[in-house]
């Protein structure tokens, strides 16, 4: 999702039409800042998920599809090691098995798109503030749910990542994952209630930041780093300071170090993330141009 343009800090205030609205901007003293810097800067090493080896993944789909289905059902995350990356037709076939692949329509990413739905994520650019180019750069990506500002029907359910080339052995970026259930467990009931009535003001179709689905909490949220998040809260009599405190508590829970999973990429590693079960992000890569670019392929599945 494109982040809203930065705006001058706005003092929260009460709207006239049955809602409260305001703005949240992280402070350097907030409790999530230090663990976020440590995680995204590769100062900490989150535990790695166990990859199940699927032999013959290149010749038949049955075993691969069954393994992915079982892992997604059990944990909202599938991690599979193949002998070699899937060819394009097999990769898109996997997407069709999971649902409907979302076309990559952003003009800025078209040079990296194949078959309309496969996005080639290459660590080609130096660190950049251009949100459209950040997936192809060597900077970190803050924790987020995919397309958090879109309506629920337009958000992907699954993000499929496959490693073609892992890049350098040392200093390359890792994909990091945080289970939403663990984030919700760390939040107070009052915070969850506040977040369930709060949404992005600049994205009218976006759902509440926290919503209850099938007896679990699902989040639609991105860590906006030092940019302001302009929010709307459905109750007009809510103290805006309590909403900002809830957002601060959410960020602290997201970056709790003991909950983080780190994927170290190897050629042929396939990861399927349920967007309603995990936040995801990326640690920083090497500052200097690497000898070998990291190359992942991505599908977003609705």
């Amino acid at each position: 999702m494109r982040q809203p343009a930065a705006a001058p800090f706005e003092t929260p205030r009460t709207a006239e039409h049955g809602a409260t609205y305001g703005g949240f901007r992280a402070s350097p003293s907030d409790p999530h800042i230090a663990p976020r810097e440590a995680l995204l800067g590769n100062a900490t090493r989150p535990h790695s998920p166990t990859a199940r080896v699927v032999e013959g993944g290149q010749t038949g789909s049955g075993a691969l599809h069954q393994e992915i289905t079982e892992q997604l059902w059990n944990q909202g995350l599938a991690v599979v090691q193949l002998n070699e990356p899937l060819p394009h037709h097999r990769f898109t076939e996997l997407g069709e098995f999971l649902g409907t692949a979302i076309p990559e329509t952003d003009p800025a990413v078209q040079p990296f798109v194949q078959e309309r739905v496969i996005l080639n994520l290459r660590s080609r650019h130096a660190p950049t503030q251009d949100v459209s180019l950040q997936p192809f750069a060597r900077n970190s990506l803050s924790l987020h749910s995919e397309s958090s500002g879109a309506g629920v029907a337009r958000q992907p359910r699954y993000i499929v990542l496959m490693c073609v080339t892992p890049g350098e052995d040392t200093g390359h970026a890792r994909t990091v994952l945080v289970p939403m259930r663990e984030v919700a467990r760390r939040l107070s009931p009052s915070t969850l209630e506040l977040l369930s009535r709060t949404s992005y003001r600049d994205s009218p179709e976006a759902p509440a930041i926290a919503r209850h689905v099938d007896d679990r909490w699902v989040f639609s949220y991105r860590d906006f780093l030092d940019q302001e998040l302009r929010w709307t809260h459905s109750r007009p009599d809510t103290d805006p300071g309590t909403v900002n405190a809830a957002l601060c508590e959410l960020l602290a829970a997201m970056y709790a170090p003991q909950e983080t999973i780190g994927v170290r990429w190897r050629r042929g590693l396939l990861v399927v993330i349920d967007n309603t079960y995990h936040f995801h992000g990326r640690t920083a890569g090497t500052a200097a141009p690497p000898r070998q670019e990291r190359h992942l392929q991505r599908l977003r599945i609705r």
Side-chain angles (χ1 to χ4, degrees):
M1 186 201 79
R2 288 181 178 272
Q3 296 178 353
F9 181 76
E10 179 177 308
T11 302
R13 57 188 184 276
T14 302
E16 298 177 355
H17 302 290
T20 301
Y21 66 96
F24 171 81
R25 192 191 300 272
S27 165
S29 61
D30 287 346
H32 73 280
I33 298 296
R36 180 179 70 191
E37 291 178 351
L39 173 65
L40 300 184
N42 282 310
T44 59
R45 286 289 183 265
H47 69 275
S48 300
T50 301
R52 293 290 298 273
V53 177
V54 177
E55 299 291 347
Q58 312 310 310
T59 58
S61 301
L64 176 60
H65 291 180
Q66 180 178 352
E67 181 62 37
I68 288 173
T69 299
E70 290 178 358
Q71 290 192 42
L72 287 174
W73 177 262
N74 290 327
Q75 59 191 13
L77 174 69
V79 185
V80 174
Q81 181 65 59
L82 304 172
N83 297 331
E84 287 290 327
L86 298 173
H88 291 164
H89 73 281
R90 290 286 312 284
F91 193 44
T92 55
E93 180 184 283
L94 173 60
E96 292 170 358
F97 169 73
L98 291 169
T100 301
I102 301 173
E104 300 288 347
T105 58
D106 187 340
V109 306
Q110 291 311 301
F112 302 93
V113 175
Q114 290 179 289
E115 310 293 334
R116 296 184 64 246
V117 295
I118 299 175
L119 186 64
N120 289 285
L121 300 170
R122 298 178 181 271
S123 55
R124 181 161 295 176
H125 296 281
T128 176
Q129 296 299 314
D130 187 331
V131 176
S132 296
L133 293 179
Q134 284 180 351
F136 315 100
R138 297 189 294 277
N139 48 280
S140 61
L141 296 176
S142 62
L143 290 175
H144 61 283
S145 61
E146 192 74 15
S147 301
S148 60
V152 172
R154 294 179 53 237
Q155 293 183 9
R157 178 61 186 265
Y158 302 112
I159 300 100
V160 186
L161 297 170
M162 182 176 66
C163 182
V164 179
T165 305
E168 295 187 63
D169 291 335
T170 59
H172 65 280
R174 299 185 186 207
T175 297
V176 289
L177 309 166
V178 175
M180 291 183 180
R181 68 175 182 276
E182 297 299 332
V183 173
R185 183 177 61 82
R186 288 179 167 274
L187 298 178
S188 65
S190 60
T191 292
L192 286 167
E193 197 277 335
L194 280 164
L195 295 176
S196 73
R197 296 178 177 273
T198 305
S199 57
Y200 295 177
R201 189 175 0 145
D202 296 325
S203 301
E205 65 176 13
I209 289 172
R211 65 188 191 275
H212 219 218
V213 179
D214 297 332
D215 296 323
R216 61 187 176 89
W217 287 99
V218 174
F219 297 90
S220 290
Y221 185 69
R222 172 184 290 272
D223 172 12
F224 284 87
L225 299 174
D226 59 354
Q227 293 188 10
E228 184 186 26
L229 167 61
R230 287 153 47 91
W231 52 259
T232 299
H233 184 80
S234 63
R235 286 184 170 172
D237 56 348
T238 300
D239 176 6
T242 64
V243 176
N244 284 346
L247 292 168
C248 194
E249 187 180 338
L250 171 60
L251 286 165
M254 288 167 60
Y255 286 100
Q258 59 268 43
E259 315 300 354
T260 310
I261 302 165
V263 177
R264 183 166 186 172
W265 290 101
R266 301 180 297 274
R267 181 173 171 82
L269 186 64
L270 181 71
V271 175
V272 184
I273 305 165
D274 189 322
N275 195 40
T276 69
Y277 275 80
H278 291 84
F279 291 103
H280 66 283
R282 187 181 70 198
T283 66
T286 56
R291 292 187 300 271
Q292 184 184 60
E293 292 179 349
R294 189 183 77 161
H295 178 195
L296 306 181
Q297 291 187 322
R298 186 190 77 179
L299 292 171
R300 295 180 302 161
I301 308 298
R302 186 176 295 140

